[in-house]
Amino acid sequence: MSHYRRHSLEPSIDSITSRFRDSLNLHKDDDDVINKPDFRELDFGSPKSPLKPRVSSSSASAAATPAVSGSSSSSSGSVSGKPSVTSHLANRSHSGELTETPGSGTKTRNPKPGHRRSASAGTPLIYSGLAFSPAKNRGGGSGATSPTAGVVPTGNICPSGKIPKTGMASRASVKPESLFTGTGNYGHGNIVRGGGKANHSAKQPETRDPEEVKKAGNDMYKKGNFSEALALYDKAISMSPENPAYRSNRAAALAASGRLREAVKECLEAVRLDPSYVRAHQRLASLYLRLGEAENARRHLCFSGQCPDKTELQRVQTLEKHLRLCSEARKNSEWKKVITEVDAAIANGADSSPQLVACKAEALLRLHQIKDSDLCLSTIQRLDHLHHHYHTQAKLFGMLCDAYVLCVQAQVDMALGRFENAIVKAERALKIDHSNSNNPEVVAVINNVTSVAKARTRGNELFTSGRYSEASVAYGEGLKFDAFNSVLYCNRAACWFKLGMWDQSVDDCNQALRIQPGYTKALLRRAASYGKLGRWDDAVRDYEVLRKELPGDSEVAESLERAKTALLNKSEEHKYLGFNNEVEEVSSLDKFKTATSLPGISVFYFKSSSNRQSEAISPFINTLCLRYSLVHFFMVDVDESLALAKAESIKKVPTFKIYKDGLKMKEMVCPSHKLLEDNVKHFLL
């Protein structure tokens, strides 16, 4: 066995070394705990050792030669030290120090699991000093003897000198070591290579102090790392769940992340844990102000007779004023004023209030600004997650706030044809408001939504089966529950179009477009109806709007070209005939023959100025002329054109004759307005 060369050691150091060599005679069952020796070359830069031996001088001499299992070396390092340091060591204590007396036979373990002392590693060496140099072989050998493979040196520090693997001594590097730092635990002290920098291969020990975790969370919060701060606050809460400050801090991080409802829940828990916790009450008041819940904000701002902050109290009072004015304007259907008051409340600090945003969306809906209303609602965070937390019990206009928001969303969805979504939200609103004894407004909304959705479904089924007249009736039933539903108007217009009732189709399309300007389907349907009525200038105007809205739609482009061509042809015909959307008077037989040979539909109206029925129907003829611009209307006064009346065998007035492409199609004597118009439309198809 090789021995390290012994340099001069001060007596006190030898004594301490001998004592700890004796005291750390561990049970050999611990040999298999750590299976890798430490081959680091050490330099003890710390002037202190964390160990304080408790062995008396008498017991030390009695136990000078303990038996140690396994191979060991009796070598000692070369250390230069000072007696004052040794004296300091004798007075230092550590909570994890070993207190077993030699020979007791009791296994002594390190407090931390996974760090056991090995009995086969040899006698521990204690050093006091600032530095040391590697020991040389006393017997003149070329190097130090390696310890047994798979063994870690015993004691709270690593043995001095180089402990390289066989043949590896020349590759070892000298790096400074420091006490009390790092993550390894060799007994009572930590030593890390590199002057205090943590060994990254070792796992950082987790602190068990929730205050330290909270402080780390505060640091993350100040840096704006709110998700990291939340994780740390969660950890602190798990370690100390009854601490209200941790809940309040978590609420601050949640609020900074925009999760205000969850922040309120945490603050309420903090107040439950400590009802007099002023900071939590203040935070709750601020959160409720942002959520637009003035009553809750006031309650926490003035809790238990506390003197509230004047600035915050003024903001709460201002919010209460705007909410009161908003409610009054809503009752009077003054929707523009409602929008003004909502904007003022939001500017006052209620910037995250879903019910105020919904109130503005409702006002826009009533003003027929449906797209703006839908866009407004899109800024509200989805309420689907609320059942995982809680529903606020605050009210607006007598309804629970969450129920009111869902009611407005249901109505906007219904106006835009999203009937299934509307039903789901209305039912959820009713479920939330159930504890509020089913507010009449909520009940009315769900009844309307359900009735309109059923009417629309029934109308669609009838339309698909070709029963257009019945489908129009079904859509009309839905309009009784929602007189401003643009989808139902547009669907009913489709029924009128299929029935050849193009004027009614245009009327319903106009209604739909008044409610929802830019409604693409209504524009398409109206343009097609205009074409059927021969109102090509109106058709061209609608198709041009659609062309801008749907630039890639080939069908719209083709329809626009056809409408332009028809409008040009109509202009040429009118120029040739010399009339412009007016009933043309025919007084000669030659002109009559020319008019009857015109392409298209021509209607000849034989009248007498002395006949009452003729005078009564004349204004309607002018209306038909404007309504059906592709139809040529001519008027023959039998009193002034007796030869023409005799040639056409007119015996009674008013008489109407309809020609198509030069052929006589129909003759009617004293027809009703409806019969006359129906025949005109029939031959125009």
Side-chain angles (χ1 to χ4, degrees):
M1 179 182 297
S2 298
H3 296 278
Y4 290 101
R5 182 177 302 154
R6 180 183 297 276
H7 287 246
S8 142
L9 293 174
E10 298 189 27
S12 59
I13 301 301
D14 283 334
S15 176
I16 295 172
T17 304
S18 176
R19 292 172 187 173
F20 273 82
R21 183 182 300 120
D22 298 337
S23 64
L24 298 179
N25 179 21
L26 304 180
H27 199 285
K28 72 176 184 176
D29 290 343
D30 291 343
D31 285 349
D32 60 349
V33 175
I34 302 176
N35 57 12
K36 291 186 180 179
D38 190 342
F39 297 130
R40 295 181 297 180
E41 186 175 15
L42 309 178
D43 179 12
F44 301 102
S46 172
K48 301 180 182 180
S49 171
L51 295 179
K52 174 185 175 183
R54 293 186 178 181
V55 185
S56 63
S57 59
S58 60
S59 63
S61 61
T65 59
V68 180
S69 64
S71 62
S72 63
S73 174
S74 62
S75 61
S76 61
S78 175
V79 181
S80 61
K82 298 182 181 180
S84 60
V85 177
T86 305
S87 176
H88 183 81
L89 271 171
N91 295 325
R92 182 179 178 88
S93 65
H94 194 280
S95 60
E97 66 186 335
L98 299 172
T99 58
E100 301 293 331
T101 58
S104 65
T106 304
K107 287 192 293 183
T108 306
R109 299 177 182 271
N110 194 304
K112 291 200 174 185
H115 296 281
R116 299 182 183 177
R117 302 183 186 279
S118 173
S120 65
T123 306
L125 302 178
I126 309 299
Y127 297 94
S128 174
L130 299 177
F132 78 101
S133 60
K136 297 182 180 179
N137 191 298
R138 176 178 291 180
S142 60
T145 301
S146 301
T148 303
V151 179
V152 175
T154 61
N156 73 310
I157 57 177
C158 297
S160 65
K162 298 180 180 178
I163 311 178
K165 292 181 181 178
T166 305
M168 298 291 291
S170 61
R171 295 168 62 181
S173 61
V174 179
K175 293 188 179 181
E177 304 274 351
S178 299
L179 293 173
F180 309 104
T181 58
T183 59
N185 187 355
Y186 297 92
H188 302 296
N190 294 335
I191 302 177
V192 177
R193 187 188 308 276
K197 292 184 179 180
N199 184 355
H200 296 291
S201 64
K203 184 178 179 181
Q204 187 72 19
E206 295 184 358
T207 179
R208 296 184 179 179
D209 185 0
E211 279 297 311
E212 292 298 324
V213 177
K214 183 199 75 172
K215 289 178 181 178
N218 292 349
D219 291 338
M220 291 294 102
Y221 181 88
K222 292 174 183 177
K223 294 176 182 178
N225 299 329
F226 303 122
S227 59
E228 290 86 348
L230 275 174
L232 290 166
Y233 292 142
D234 287 339
K235 183 178 179 182
I237 291 171
S238 67
M239 298 168 72
S240 180
E242 300 301 316
N243 191 313
Y246 302 161
R247 298 281 184 177
S248 182
N249 284 15
R250 187 174 191 273
L254 287 168
S257 302
R259 296 157 64 180
L260 301 191
R261 289 287 181 87
E262 296 174 71
V264 167
K265 183 182 177 183
E266 289 299 320
C267 280
L268 289 173
E269 181 64 16
V271 169
R272 185 191 68 79
L273 294 170
D274 183 1
S276 62
Y277 190 6
V278 177
R279 187 69 189 91
H281 282 287
Q282 291 174 340
R283 184 159 283 148
L284 269 172
S286 178
L287 288 169
Y288 280 131
L289 179 67
R290 292 188 63 188
L291 290 169
E293 300 178 18
E295 184 178 350
N296 287 335
R298 176 180 284 276
R299 183 172 69 253
H300 287 281
L301 195 62
C302 308
F303 81 102
S304 299
Q306 294 290 324
C307 183
D309 179 84
K310 292 183 179 180
T311 302
E312 291 297 308
L313 182 59
Q314 179 63 40
R315 293 176 66 194
V316 172
Q317 291 172 344
T318 303
L319 175 60
E320 290 172 335
K321 181 191 74 173
H322 290 308
L323 290 177
R324 185 180 67 258
L325 294 174
C326 183
S327 180
E328 293 174 358
R330 184 173 180 269
K331 286 180 181 178
N332 299 325
S333 299
E334 298 175 354
W335 300 112
K336 291 184 178 180
K337 187 175 180 181
V338 168
I339 294 174
T340 301
E341 294 302 329
V342 168
D343 288 341
I346 292 174
N348 182 60
D351 57 353
S352 300
S353 173
Q355 63 268 24
L356 286 178
V357 175
C359 184
K360 183 175 182 178
E362 182 187 25
L364 291 169
L365 177 64
R366 299 295 177 245
L367 293 170
H368 307 312
Q369 300 177 33
I370 300 178
K371 287 187 177 180
D372 291 338
S373 178
D374 191 41
L375 181 62
C376 185
L377 287 176
S378 67
T379 63
I380 297 179
Q381 186 179 7
R382 284 175 58 104
L383 299 181
D384 295 344
H385 70 285
L386 289 181
H387 66 277
H388 297 302
H389 303 288
Y390 73 103
H391 289 284
T392 179
Q393 296 301 306
K395 294 183 180 180
L396 184 67
F397 313 134
M399 289 176 277
L400 292 177
C401 289
D402 294 339
Y404 171 69
V405 172
L406 289 167
C407 281
V408 175
Q409 289 177 330
Q411 292 177 81
V412 172
D413 282 340
M414 188 171 63
L416 291 171
R418 303 190 292 248
F419 292 93
E420 291 78 10
N421 291 345
I423 291 175
V424 170
K425 290 175 181 175
E427 289 176 346
R428 288 185 57 222
L430 188 64
K431 185 177 180 180
I432 292 172
D433 200 66
H434 182 71
S435 59
N436 194 32
S437 301
N438 293 338
N439 183 277
E441 279 200 54
V442 178
V443 174
V445 168
I446 191 168
N447 287 341
N448 287 348
V449 169
T450 304
S451 299
V452 171
K454 287 181 178 178
R456 176 247 193 179
T457 301
R458 176 62 177 162
N460 289 355
E461 292 172 353
L462 292 168
F463 186 92
T464 303
S465 62
R467 298 157 67 181
Y468 306 121
S469 181
E470 295 176 62
S472 68
V473 174
Y475 293 132
E477 288 296 320
L479 288 169
K480 293 178 181 178
F481 295 97
D482 183 9
F484 297 98
N485 194 287
S486 57
V487 176
L488 293 183
Y489 278 116
C490 189
N491 286 7
R492 193 170 69 173
C495 296
W496 301 139
F497 186 90
K498 289 291 186 179
L499 292 169
M501 303 171 69
W502 301 304
D503 283 311
Q504 288 90 326
S505 179
V506 169
D507 290 341
D508 275 356
C509 287
N510 288 337
Q511 285 284 2
L513 289 166
R514 273 193 288 270
I515 296 169
Q516 187 181 346
Y519 188 2
T520 303
K521 284 187 177 180
L523 276 171
L524 280 168
R525 204 146 283 154
R526 189 173 71 175
S529 298
Y530 280 146
K532 289 294 185 179
L533 293 171
R535 298 169 60 176
W536 294 111
D537 49 347
D538 293 327
V540 168
R541 184 173 61 251
D542 281 352
Y543 282 128
E544 284 178 342
V545 173
L546 289 165
R547 182 66 171 159
K548 292 178 182 178
E549 294 291 329
L550 307 170
D553 194 313
S554 59
E555 186 176 348
V556 170
E558 292 174 3
S559 298
L560 175 60
E561 291 303 316
R562 286 197 300 269
K564 286 182 176 180
T565 301
L567 179 61
L568 180 62
N569 292 338
K570 178 184 174 182
S571 299
E572 291 297 326
E573 290 176 4
H574 284 193
K575 182 179 179 181
Y576 172 77
L577 294 172
F579 63 90
N580 182 23
N581 288 336
E582 294 180 356
V583 179
E584 181 75 8
E585 185 175 356
V586 176
S587 56
S588 66
L589 187 58
D590 292 339
K591 192 172 183 180
F592 179 82
K593 290 180 179 180
T594 302
T596 55
S597 63
L598 289 173
I601 305 298
S602 300
V603 178
F604 293 88
Y605 165 41
F606 294 86
K607 60 163 284 192
S608 172
S609 56
S610 60
N611 182 269
R612 292 182 179 180
Q613 288 180 308
S614 297
E615 293 298 318
I617 203 171
S618 292
F620 182 65
I621 303 303
N622 292 329
T623 301
L624 291 178
C625 182
L626 295 173
R627 186 175 294 172
Y628 301 99
S629 55
L630 286 183
V631 178
H632 309 292
F633 286 89
F634 300 94
M635 183 268 293
V636 179
D637 191 334
V638 296
D639 295 332
E640 297 180 2
S641 305
L642 293 175
L644 179 55
K646 185 177 181 180
E648 290 296 315
S649 303
I650 302 300
K651 298 179 180 179
K652 190 175 181 179
V653 290
T655 295
F656 293 87
K657 291 186 179 183
I658 300 176
Y659 286 76
K660 183 175 183 180
D661 297 328
L663 298 176
K664 183 179 177 181
M665 308 301 296
K666 184 81 172 180
E667 181 174 345
M668 295 173 286
V669 179
C670 300
S672 65
H673 290 193
K674 186 177 184 307
L675 178 61
L676 176 60
E677 185 173 8
D678 287 346
N679 277 274
V680 170
K681 287 192 296 184
H682 172 73
F683 291 110
L684 188 60
L685 288 176

